[in-house]
Amino acid sequence: MSVSDMFSYIQGFLSADQDVREEIRKVVQVLEQTAREILTVVQSVHQPSGFKDIPDKCTKARELFGTVRTHIADLKTKFPVDQYYRFHEHWRFVLQRLTFLAAFVVYLESEALVTREEVAQILDIEVVRDKGFHLDVEDYLAGVLIMASELSRLAVNSVTAGDYNRPLRISNFINDLDSGFRLLNLKNDPLRKRYDGLKYDVKKIEEVVYDLSIRGLAKEAKSDQ
Amino acid sequence: MNKRGGEGHPQKNGNAAQHCEASPDLSSPVIAAFKVFQMELDAKHDKYERLVKLSRDVTIESKRTIFLLHRVTSVPDAEAILNEADGKLSGVREKIGQIAEELRGEDIYQFHRAFTAGIQEYVEAASFQHYIRHRSLISLEEINARLVFMTGDEGCADTPSSEPHVITFQVMPADYLLGVADLTGELMRLCISSVGNGDIDTPFQLSQFLRQIHDGFSYIGNTGPYEVSKKLHTLRQSLGKVEDACYTLRVRGSEIPKHMLADVFSSRNTHMDPEEAVV
């Protein structure tokens, strides 16, 4: 094989690779669009009026996840399944956002931490790598961390909206989450960086709970229950 | 006092949660889930570290092979050195076999960053040896064909069926490309040192070969990975040095007695370098 043959062989390989990436990028763009739509829906819970019809908003978000599932099904056809990590960077960001949105919806519905299996189910993907397009554990954890900062925001806004009970529940939940993350031995990677932000969310929520307790508002909420 | 105690009571619930944080108990579903994540992440990081270590070993041994191969110009018996390099390279391949073993059943791209440096260095060493022996560019298939490993004896240890299984390691085209880009630097050094030994033919062969590779890289241009375009600059410098060397040989070669050639050449080279830095 001559030198120029070798290079044109490699060139063929590289341009095929680029075509695949181009295809993936297109689908991911649509996915990001849908993710933003879902975010707009669930973000309205921060509005004072939004607290009243949380179930309604969750239903709407769940409907939009149907669109997400069709796009992800489309994405799965764009590349060989055993090369997931080759193109991982392209959908990593959007998958973390979608995990966050799914986790947030599940929290609003049941006030529980979404499991990795549930996220995979909502997005119609797998948990185990061998079975196909899956949710990487680090992406799942990153999504959960995004939710934590959203919850600290929700704690503040629920007080403004007059819901004094919610911050206490959020506080318990976040504390649980924090002790969960403390079990992990994280490397010095993006996930670790994001985890470092969790303590500020915890602190923020604790401050809200403190403000409520010192004014006796927390007690009031308790007796309301 | 009494009042405080009364106030403390409703907060007991909150305190219970704090308590669970202090000593994580397995009953909490969140903690149980995170225990699983902990194991999964630790297993992945451990594998990554093992691969990095193997990759380092591959890099070091490949570098040593390249140094060894540079001695061919100054030794009468080139074949002996090539055979010694063969021995070293098969040691390197053994390490790559261990990498392949680690990657069995994994997505090779997930750990690519851990071993890419080692593989590139191996491609450089293997292609350098191939060039010295055959005066041609080793193809990707030829490299991959050598990276086939049998794990018969280990097979009976972990699998009940004791039949030997074959694992292959596929060098990725991008790694191959980057390895070949590094090769050009070695060829440039080979060219300069071969002149030092009064070898007039090798530089001309090398300049032709380097030009072919350079044309190949220009053909790929920026469709390749980002690192390729970075290496292209260095490749151009190497080619320039070799072309200048050939020029000097052609112009001055006929005038100067052969035994003085090396001197003229090396002095020209030394004051050529500052110019290169400016470019």
Side-chain angles (χ1 to χ4, degrees), chain A residues 6 17 31-34 37 43 49 79 84 88 102-103 114-115 119 145 158 186-187 200-201:
Chain A
M6 195 60 230
D17 187 76
L31 263 177
E32 276 170 356
Q33 177 60 38
T34 320
E37 281 168 29
Q43 220 161 32
S49 57
F79 65 99
Y84 180 92
H88 189 194
V114 70
T115 61
V119 180
L145 286 172
S158 57
L186 295 175
K187 284 214 303 188
Y200 299 110
D201 300 327

Side-chain angles (χ1 to χ4, degrees), chain A residues 100-129:
Chain A
F100 148 59
L101 294 168
F104 196 45
V105 168
V106 169
Y107 178 80
L108 290 174
E109 284 170 351
S110 60
E111 309 222 334
L113 176 64
V114 70
T115 61
R116 199 170 153 203
E117 286 76 13
E118 275 176 278
V119 180
Q121 205 193 338
I122 291 171
L123 304 177
D124 193 22
I125 55 179
E126 302 292 336
V127 175
V128 192
R129 186 180 68 80

Side-chain angles (χ1 to χ4, degrees), chain A residues 55-75:
Chain A
D56 188 38
K57 294 200 191 320
C58 290
T59 331
K60 232 185 256 172
R62 288 247 181 204
E63 274 165 31
L64 281 166
F65 270 112
T67 325
V68 170
R69 279 193 285 273
T70 52
H71 292 321
I72 289 185
D74 193 21
L75 178 62

Side-chain angles (χ1 to χ4, degrees), chain B residues 7 78 183 242:
Chain B
E7 232 177 32
L183 166 72
V242 172

Side-chain angles (χ1 to χ4, degrees), chain A residues 11-34:
Chain A
Q11 154 69 25
F13 186 91
L14 290 175
S15 57
D17 187 76
Q18 270 199 331
D19 292 345
V20 174
R21 284 176 198 278
E22 203 49 55
E23 288 285 305
I24 290 173
R25 230 170 272 149
K26 273 186 213 151
V27 187
V28 166
Q29 236 163 33
V30 185
L31 263 177
E32 276 170 356
Q33 177 60 38
T34 320

Side-chain angles (χ1 to χ4, degrees), chain A residues 113 137-138 140-148 174-186 191-192 194-196 198, chain B residues 30-31 34-35 37-38 41:
Chain A
L113 176 64
V137 65
E138 292 188 28
Y140 165 76
L141 293 172
V144 169
L145 286 172
I146 303 177
M147 180 186 61
I174 291 280
N175 274 329
D176 225 14
L177 207 59
D178 186 43
S179 47
F181 269 100
R182 230 172 281 167
L183 288 178
L184 304 178
N185 308 308
L186 295 175
L191 184 62
R192 162 72 184 277
R194 190 158 258 158
Y195 163 68
D196 288 342
L198 182 62
Chain B
V30 174
I31 299 297
F34 274 86
K35 286 250 178 202
F37 300 148
Q38 179 195 45
L41 283 174

Side-chain angles (χ1 to χ4, degrees), chain B residues 148-170:
Chain B
V148 176
F149 311 96
M150 300 286 284
T151 51
D153 43 342
E154 265 180 82
C156 47
D158 20 274
T159 50
S161 60
S162 60
E163 67 179 80
H165 56 272
V166 178
I167 355 173
T168 55
F169 185 90
Q170 297 279 321

Side-chain angles (χ1 to χ4, degrees), chain B residues 198 200 253 256-262:
Chain B
I200 313 285
I256 297 168
K258 251 188 183 166
H259 65 273
M260 282 174 68
L261 203 66

